[in-house]
Amino acid sequence: MPRIAAENVAEHRRLVRERIFAAFAELMAEGSYDAITMSKLAQRADIGRTAIYHHFKDRDAVMVAFATHETSEYVASLQAQLAASEQPAERLRIYVRNHLALGEKFHMGFGPQVYGGLPEEARQEIREHVVAVEQVLAEILEQGAEQGTFAVTDVDATLALIHAVLGTRHLPAERIEEFVLRAVGALR
């Protein structure tokens, strides 16, 4: 019988999942999704090769759970920062800064090569996480448009364009922030 490395089973499972997620992030940073196996994940997480299957049925399930975990932390961090202001322009600044600063930690770049190779159910679950982040920005844009702070007539298009701009990580963050605020009419 395996030893429980915590005060109770639930805490033990949480700790093991965290180790698996850390192993997954490390392996993704080192190589490609295709190179990750359940055996490599178990070895990196320092758990038995068969023990990992008590937590996840396969590597796609690990990726979906990892995305769920990371998105939850990302949105919680973002919401905590956004709580500091009710002003739409400042909230958009916070969103942009947060996205650029934390984006490297939370966005592993599951691009079309990885995303496209997932089963439909997994792709849909990953998409739900993207929508959760997009909803935060949509609310900021809607608030700004309602208050007359932003000149936004199409929230969906503006949201997509802002996220496209935020993907250009090689530019200085200040320039990206200024561009986004000018684009919505918050700076003149």
Side-chain angles (χ1 to χ4, degrees), residues 65-141:
F66 177 81
T68 300
H69 177 263
E70 293 296 294
T71 301
S72 296
E73 286 197 11
Y74 180 77
V75 171
S77 171
L78 178 58
Q79 292 289 14
Q81 291 182 45
L82 288 171
S85 177
E86 288 296 319
Q87 300 302 313
E90 183 57 26
R91 289 172 60 82
L92 183 55
R93 277 187 179 89
I94 292 167
Y95 182 92
V96 169
R97 289 174 187 162
N98 189 67
H99 192 89
L100 293 172
L102 296 179
E104 291 301 317
K105 177 183 186 309
F106 290 108
H107 299 286
M108 300 203 65
F110 298 139
Q113 303 87 346
V114 173
Y115 185 74
L118 292 174
E120 179 60 31
E121 183 180 330
R123 284 198 309 268
Q124 186 58 39
E125 288 184 60
I126 297 287
R127 176 71 189 132
E128 290 171 15
H129 303 303
V130 173
V131 170
V133 176
E134 289 175 344
Q135 186 57 40
V136 174
L137 178 56
E139 290 170 4
I140 294 168
L141 295 173

Side-chain angles (χ1 to χ4, degrees), residues 9-183:
V9 174
E11 179 66 11
H12 172 77
R13 288 187 64 76
R14 187 188 68 74
L15 292 172
V16 171
R17 286 175 69 89
E18 283 182 8
R19 290 186 359 226
I20 294 168
F21 292 156
F24 182 81
E26 289 171 11
L27 290 169
M28 281 296 293
E30 292 171 9
S32 72
Y33 180 68
D34 290 336
I36 296 175
T37 64
M38 293 296 275
S39 179
K40 286 180 183 176
L41 277 169
Q43 181 180 16
R44 183 66 63 99
D46 196 29
I47 61 174
R49 277 190 343 196
T50 59
I52 195 168
Y53 291 98
H54 294 288
H55 301 272
F56 300 101
K57 68 178 182 170
D58 58 26
R59 131 188 113 150
D60 294 343
V62 174
M63 180 156 62
V64 170
F66 177 81
T68 300
H69 177 263
E70 293 296 294
T71 301
S72 296
E73 286 197 11
Y74 180 77
V75 171
S77 171
L78 178 58
Q79 292 289 14
Q81 291 182 45
L82 288 171
S85 177
E86 288 296 319
Q87 300 302 313
E90 183 57 26
R91 289 172 60 82
L92 183 55
R93 277 187 179 89
I94 292 167
Y95 182 92
V96 169
R97 289 174 187 162
N98 189 67
H99 192 89
L100 293 172
L102 296 179
E104 291 301 317
K105 177 183 186 309
F106 290 108
H107 299 286
M108 300 203 65
F110 298 139
Q113 303 87 346
V114 173
Y115 185 74
L118 292 174
E120 179 60 31
E121 183 180 330
R123 284 198 309 268
Q124 186 58 39
E125 288 184 60
I126 297 287
R127 176 71 189 132
E128 290 171 15
H129 303 303
V130 173
V131 170
V133 176
E134 289 175 344
Q135 186 57 40
V136 174
L137 178 56
E139 290 170 4
I140 294 168
L141 295 173
E142 288 165 357
Q143 177 194 26
E146 288 169 8
Q147 292 181 11
T149 305
F150 301 156
V152 172
T153 56
D154 185 339
V155 170
D156 291 335
T158 304
L159 186 147
L161 291 167
I162 288 172
H163 277 163
V165 170
L166 292 176
T168 57
R169 301 198 190 285
H170 64 279
L171 296 173
E174 303 81 33
R175 297 290 70 83
I176 295 171
E177 180 182 323
E178 179 184 356
F179 183 86
V180 168
L181 288 164
R182 283 190 190 285

